[in-house]
Amino acid sequence: MGARMSKPAPKSFHVKSFGCQMNVYDGARMAELLEADGLTMAASADEADLVVLNTCHIREKAAEKVYSDIGRIVKQSRGRQQPMIAVAGCVAQAEGGEIPRRAPAVDIVVGPQAYHNLPALVADAAAGRKALDTDMPAISKFESLPKRRKQGPTAFLTVQEGCDKFCTYCVVPYTRGAEVSRPWGAIVDEAKALIDAGAREITLLGQNVNAWAGDDDAGRRHGLDGLIRALDGLPGLARIRYMTSHPNDMTEGLIAAHGDVETLMPFLHLPVQSGSDRILKAMNRSHTRDSYLAIIDRVRAVRPDIALSGDFIVGFPGETDADFEATLDIVRAVKHAQAFSFKYSPRAGTPAATMADQVAPELMDERLQRLQALINEQQQAFNAALVGRRTEILIERNGKKAGQRIGKSPWLQSVVVETAAAIGELVTAEIVSAGPNSLNGVLAEQQVAA
Ligand code: 5AD
Ligand code: SF4
């Protein structure tokens, strides 16, 4: 960067986000920022003068993807002006100046806590100046971002960032920094702006969202449950969700909220990672199988129908057959409604990367397949149990066939319904059939008429 030919100042942009929902949120805010700066959103990367790759560093495969993407952009732009390329997100934070050294087509590197500076970095790059910013400033980027603009019925709202837990396999504490909670007032204002812009459902986001803490306008201290209770009163907001949570921050107050806050949806993403206490200890998870199951029991006591979701890692260093069986056991005990599972990926700089007894890739493959088969079976069972039940669906988009719409149930399942209801409307439907990945519903009124 710097010493070579600069590219012209871009007029259009395309943001491509990888990885977690926080990246999706950041990508949307980058788009708003670039639009406020006078650029227009291009339909695809091929048509854009500026391509922002908003990257994920969590596993090696995700982190390497950025380089193949850069190669593709360069190849596809042959015969025309190569677009300006910005690498944002956690790979930018972790690899910094290494990125343009390895991929000289990259013009800008910007970390997840610095992207409010994107317009200035674009100007720097166009002027041939160095354009790298991976600072983690004390003043949060949120202060300098434009107001939220019009979007669909569901919205993400980042309320917390960073992680202090230091699980031994994970890069997040290094790429996203320490746990920080956004202030109460800023969150309530952003939620109101999102509702004004058409949101009916808001998902509160954070790497450790349930570690959120802050003072309300009267100076009273609250945890996430207090924030949820405040948002519950906002006119126009029909649904609240939150993710991702850590078992250690699952407070009594938050559990109680699942019992009595009507807009809080019956869905909890609470990663356990492994069912073996020995592995949980080596992961530095600071909870055990039993303490995790005790939380689930307490949540189910106040909200028996709650859908439980989780994350699992198979093949953590030292994981034996017995440890893996314990993971299958905890999945059977919890009866997850859905879950994400991954093969352990060693990440440079994390304690687990240098632990003895790394598990062979073939064994990881086999374990992942067995775990996913079990999770799929349970997902199917959870879905099938809803057949015959009436439930509310938030219409999110059009279906494949004319007259079809796709919405979400309270338990976050996709439901296909035939209805003239507009996107953003809530309809009541009876679930008539269930597949592994979606349900079919019939509008309650149509059924009465039939
Ligand atoms: N290898 C595999 N999976 C990982 N995760 C985090 N770090 C790693 C890693 N090094 C998984 C965890 C986490 C999810 C977001 O990604 O399950 O909850
Ligand atoms: Fe990573 Fe553990 Fe923090 Fe989750 S809690 S972001 S897995 S270090």
Side-chain angles (χ1 to χ4, degrees):
M1 284 192 292
R4 58 206 181 76
M5 287 276 287
S6 55
K7 297 170 187 169
K11 293 194 177 67
S12 62
F13 71 92
H14 181 78
V15 181
K16 196 170 166 192
S17 289
F18 305 89
C20 66
Q21 286 92 351
M22 315 243 336
N23 261 14
V24 175
Y25 173 87
D26 289 341
R29 305 240 44 191
M30 287 181 217
E32 289 166 354
L33 184 63
L34 292 168
E35 283 189 331
D37 199 44
L39 281 78
T40 54
M41 196 190 284
S44 71
D46 296 339
E47 293 161 47
D49 305 332
L50 164 67
V51 180
V52 182
L53 299 173
N54 190 22
T55 59
C56 173
H57 197 247
I58 197 98
R59 284 167 290 275
E60 192 185 353
K61 227 168 143 183
E64 283 301 310
K65 203 178 169 337
V66 61
Y67 292 102
S68 53
D69 260 54
I70 294 164
R72 195 170 314 124
I73 293 166
V74 170
K75 207 167 147 197
Q76 276 168 1
S77 67
R78 273 189 200 134
R80 70 167 181 117
Q81 171 67 49
Q82 199 183 89
M84 193 177 267
I85 301 175
V87 176
C90 291
V91 177
Q93 192 65 39
E95 297 182 9
E98 265 311 304
I99 298 168
R101 275 193 282 281
R102 186 169 157 190
V106 172
D107 304 278
I108 297 168
V109 175
V110 60
Q113 305 307 347
Y115 66 76
H116 55 297
N117 292 329
L118 198 49
L121 292 163
V122 170
D124 284 341
R129 289 188 296 269
K130 184 173 173 211
L132 181 142
D133 190 346
T134 51
D135 286 354
M136 293 199 179
I139 305 273
S140 126
K141 65 189 172 232
F142 296 108
E143 316 286 321
S144 7
L145 294 172
K147 246 183 124 83
R148 304 306 312 268
R149 66 169 155 74
K150 183 113 188 81
Q151 41 83 59
T154 62
F156 288 144
L157 201 177
T158 294
V159 302
Q160 182 280 340
E161 285 193 284
C163 183
D164 297 339
K165 306 288 191 289
F166 290 93
C167 299
T168 52
Y169 50 82
C170 187
V171 291
V172 166
Y174 312 98
T175 57
R176 289 270 175 175
E179 285 178 9
V180 178
S181 296
R182 286 182 70 192
W184 175 281
I187 295 167
V188 173
D189 285 350
E190 189 170 327
K192 285 181 183 159
L194 287 168
I195 298 164
D196 286 347
R200 307 290 323 269
E201 169 180 305
I202 293 181
T203 302
L204 306 175
L205 297 182
Q207 260 93 31
N208 274 289
V209 70
N210 59 342
W212 183 90
D215 296 336
D216 66 14
D217 296 337
R220 280 181 303 251
R221 194 85 185 145
H222 293 279
L224 186 66
D225 52 314
L227 186 62
I228 288 170
R229 286 179 192 279
L231 299 179
D232 174 55
L234 293 181
L237 187 61
R239 292 179 164 190
I240 302 170
R241 302 181 186 276
Y242 63 94
M243 68 172 59
T244 291
S245 296
H246 191 286
N248 286 7
D249 296 313
M250 221 44 228
T251 61
E252 287 307 320
L254 186 54
I255 292 173
H258 276 287
D260 60 24
V261 178
E262 237 178 81
T263 54
L264 182 58
M265 291 294 103
F267 185 95
L268 176 62
H269 182 67
L270 193 67
V272 60
Q273 313 295 355
S274 167
S276 154
D277 283 346
R278 208 175 62 80
I279 295 295
L280 287 171
K281 195 157 184 230
M283 287 177 162
N284 191 33
R285 286 291 294 180
S286 62
H287 60 79
T288 61
R289 169 190 189 275
D290 287 351
S291 69
Y292 181 86
L293 289 175
I295 296 168
I296 300 300
D297 282 348
R298 297 210 306 277
V299 175
R300 282 208 165 118
V302 297
R303 189 75 212 224
D305 68 337
I306 198 157
L308 291 159
S309 166
D311 291 343
F312 292 91
I313 296 177
V314 300
F316 184 82
E319 186 186 72
T320 62
D321 284 341
D323 293 321
F324 175 66
E325 290 299 329
T327 296
L328 295 177
D329 261 5
I330 203 167
V331 174
R332 287 188 199 104
V334 174
K335 295 196 170 54
H336 289 87
Q338 62 151 78
F340 304 97
S341 46
F342 312 98
K343 284 185 274 185
Y344 167 70
S345 169
R347 308 303 288 130
T350 62
T354 50
M355 284 181 187
D357 300 326
Q358 299 279 329
V359 174
E362 310 79 60
L363 195 50
M364 280 203 237
D365 282 331
E366 190 197 308
R367 287 180 184 167
L368 187 69
Q369 270 184 24
R370 287 181 62 198
L371 176 59
Q372 290 186 338
L374 176 62
I375 291 167
N376 288 345
E377 214 175 274
Q378 294 193 168
Q379 182 167 337
Q380 173 84 56
F382 186 87
N383 289 349
L386 282 162
V387 173
R389 206 171 147 166
R390 270 189 188 202
T391 184
E392 220 165 52
I393 317 289
L394 175 59
I395 303 295
E396 291 184 5
R397 58 196 164 91
N398 291 327
K400 278 198 196 112
K401 294 189 197 140
Q404 267 185 354
R405 303 260 195 279
I406 300 175
K408 289 273 163 58
S409 75
W411 305 277
L412 207 59
Q413 299 138 308
S414 289
V415 186
V416 183
V417 282
E418 263 176 46
T419 174
I423 287 167
E425 266 183 62
L426 281 158
V427 298
T428 301
E430 182 177 323
I431 304 302
V432 291
S433 64
N437 299 314
S438 68
L439 311 175
N440 291 295
V442 173
L443 283 208
E445 308 83 68
Q446 284 176 358
Q447 269 229 320
V448 174

